[in-house]
Amino acid sequence: MEDENSKDEEQLEREHFLRIINAFKYYRIHSSKRVKNAVESYQSLSDSHKKMLPGYLDNLTLIQNCVDHNYEIIQLVIKDAEYMFENKTHEPTEDEKEVPPTQFDMDKVRTTIKQFVRDWSADGQSEREACYLPIVMEICEKFPKSKCDPSKISVLVPGAGLGRLAYEIAKQGYSCQGNEWSLFMLMASNFILNKCNAVKSFTLYPWIHQWTNNTYTEDQTASCKFPDVNPAELPPNSNFSMAAGDFLEIYTDPDTFDCVATVFFIDTAHCIISYIETIYNILKPGGYWINLGPLLYHYSDIPNEVSIELSYEELKKVIKQVGFVIQREEKDVRSTYTQNPKSMLRYEYSSVFFTAQKPVS
């Protein structure tokens, strides 16, 4: 029975892997369909209306060229994916059907492209300064290098995305592990951390999927170079790693970490209480949980998914009931997430930033 369950689990993992790979592979086809729709809409115009838009088709051609270039980067991202996960092959077997990806999967691909901007480009610096810098500064304050050996301080970053926050913490000399569940993010982080060894060596066009709220025509085809730093140039003896898997399933050993740093993460839970209990369990006595982010609750509107949505007021009560002592709290921390700074429509979060300590006894 155990062998059958193991095979079933392996098959599910295999199907999930192929689904993500297929979504990446489908990027150009999916994006090109949108360009084709725009061309057909233009062709439906009267001749007098077409004359008012002399450069419209030329711009659509440029957008298609940007799609093609983004796909070249995507091919590099998935090229090494099979070596990441025990030599899984990209190609389905005869018994495995290649299923077209869902709209949700394609949204994830586009989000991953924008994540390169947030985490590893000069264009994302303002977002990082708003979201990551407070975390790094708080860690340095709680574990000052004048009083401790930072290499002996273990920090965990769940929901690490493309790994920039964990990288910055490791750059300060702390022992840091990033954890990520999404295969979209894991494949992209593997590329950026292990295959990019020169500053501004790659180019993406992250905003070409934004067809509305563009002030200038060229805003849609604006380019972004990455990485803004060489990920390979960490200080000697740095201890930095990325771990793949579900946060709740991987981290079960008690009293393991000196600090857990979460940014735009805790609202990814089905049940946020489980996250809080796990963070408390894996922290050493006297350890700190440092958090910044909103309460978007990713599963709240997805059918047939469990989702517990607490207000911040309710969340604080749970944090205290679990055993934490809140030491610092800042509300209304203005922050964005993969935001196009040139868009006529922008979303801004009023995030909360807090530090909670697990009592020594």
Side-chain angles (χ1 to χ4, degrees):
M1 182 64 70
E2 288 185 8
D3 289 341
E4 291 182 6
N5 290 337
S6 177
K7 288 181 180 179
D8 289 342
E9 186 173 329
E10 288 180 7
Q11 182 59 32
L12 288 174
E13 289 180 359
R14 165 80 177 161
E15 291 173 359
H16 180 61
F17 174 83
L18 288 175
R19 182 171 64 84
I20 306 308
I21 288 290
N22 196 39
F24 276 121
K25 287 183 174 181
Y26 203 73
Y27 168 82
R28 181 162 59 181
I29 296 173
H30 186 271
S31 301
S32 297
K33 284 182 179 178
R34 181 62 180 86
V35 177
K36 182 181 179 183
N37 289 342
V39 172
E40 291 176 349
S41 294
Y42 173 83
Q43 297 295 0
S44 71
L45 298 177
S46 64
D47 289 342
S48 62
H49 285 177
K50 288 178 181 177
K51 288 179 181 179
M52 295 179 185
L53 305 171
Y56 196 82
L57 285 179
D58 289 339
N59 187 59
L60 292 180
T61 298
L62 178 58
I63 291 173
Q64 181 61 57
N65 291 338
C66 293
V67 167
D68 294 341
H69 180 83
N70 281 359
Y71 186 63
E72 291 177 6
I73 301 297
I74 285 175
Q75 287 180 305
L76 294 175
V77 169
I78 64 177
K79 179 181 179 182
D80 299 298
E82 60 188 38
Y83 302 110
M84 288 175 59
F85 302 99
E86 299 177 359
N87 293 325
K88 288 185 174 70
T89 175
H90 292 177
E91 304 302 328
T93 64
E94 293 182 359
D95 297 329
E96 295 171 327
K97 295 182 180 180
E98 191 171 278
V99 180
T102 64
Q103 184 62 47
F104 178 82
D105 288 336
M106 298 316 301
D107 287 342
K108 287 293 185 182
V109 173
R110 290 190 288 269
T111 297
T112 303
I113 290 174
K114 291 188 287 186
Q115 194 77 23
F116 279 103
V117 182
R118 173 179 170 87
D119 267 19
W120 295 101
S121 80
D123 295 342
Q125 182 175 347
S126 60
E127 281 199 2
R128 293 195 299 274
E129 287 181 348
C131 297
Y132 298 167
L133 186 58
I135 299 290
V136 176
M137 291 177 63
E138 185 75 351
I139 291 173
C140 291
E141 181 178 318
K142 294 301 181 185
F143 304 98
K145 299 173 188 178
S146 60
K147 296 183 179 180
C148 68
D149 179 356
S151 66
K152 304 298 183 183
I153 302 299
S154 56
V155 182
L156 175 66
V157 180
L162 299 198
R164 184 60 181 264
L165 175 57
Y167 170 89
E168 292 295 339
I169 293 171
K171 191 175 179 181
Q172 293 294 323
Y174 299 99
S175 175
C176 189
Q177 180 171 94
N179 163 242
E180 180 57 54
W181 175 81
S182 167
L183 281 181
F184 292 101
M185 296 296 175
L186 286 167
M187 291 178 190
S189 64
N190 174 67
F191 173 70
I192 194 77
L193 294 171
N194 298 316
K195 302 300 177 180
C196 297
N197 53 17
V199 174
K200 297 182 179 179
S201 52
F202 295 97
T203 302
L204 275 172
Y205 298 90
W207 316 120
I208 57 172
H209 312 292
Q210 181 175 313
W211 292 85
T212 60
N213 290 307
N214 292 307
T215 303
Y216 299 101
T217 305
E218 58 266 26
D219 289 347
Q220 188 174 3
T221 53
S223 65
C224 170
K225 292 188 178 298
F226 72 95
D228 62 317
V229 297
N230 184 348
E233 291 184 349
L234 277 173
N237 303 319
S238 295
N239 190 346
F240 170 45
S241 62
M242 290 285 289
D246 186 286
F247 171 64
L248 296 178
E249 294 178 1
I250 292 180
Y251 299 100
T252 56
D253 293 339
D255 306 339
T256 305
F257 293 95
D258 297 288
C259 180
V260 175
T262 53
V263 175
F264 279 71
F265 170 70
I266 58 175
D267 55 3
T268 65
H270 288 280
C271 175
I272 197 170
I273 300 173
S274 298
Y275 271 16
I276 297 169
E277 290 177 334
T278 296
I279 292 171
Y280 188 88
N281 179 58
I282 65 177
L283 276 173
K284 298 175 183 177
Y288 296 95
W289 172 25
I290 306 172
N291 175 78
L292 188 151
L295 294 174
L296 182 61
Y297 294 116
H298 292 212
Y299 293 99
S300 64
D301 294 318
I302 299 180
N304 304 316
E305 291 284 0
V306 173
S307 182
I308 303 298
E309 301 98 4
L310 306 181
S311 67
Y312 180 59
E313 178 186 28
E314 293 172 313
L315 180 63
K316 280 205 301 183
K317 293 178 181 178
V318 171
I319 290 171
K320 293 176 182 178
Q321 288 180 66
V322 168
F324 280 109
V325 176
I326 297 177
Q327 291 193 336
R328 176 179 179 177
E329 178 186 51
E330 293 181 26
K331 299 177 183 176
D332 198 28
V333 178
R334 300 295 173 177
S335 47
T336 58
Y337 195 92
T338 61
Q339 183 67 60
N340 181 356
K342 294 182 179 180
S343 175
M344 298 170 71
L345 175 64
R346 305 177 192 178
Y347 294 97
E348 183 180 67
Y349 293 98
S350 177
S351 294
V352 63
F353 174 47
F354 64 76
T355 300
Q357 186 178 32
K358 178 177 180 177
V360 175
S361 60

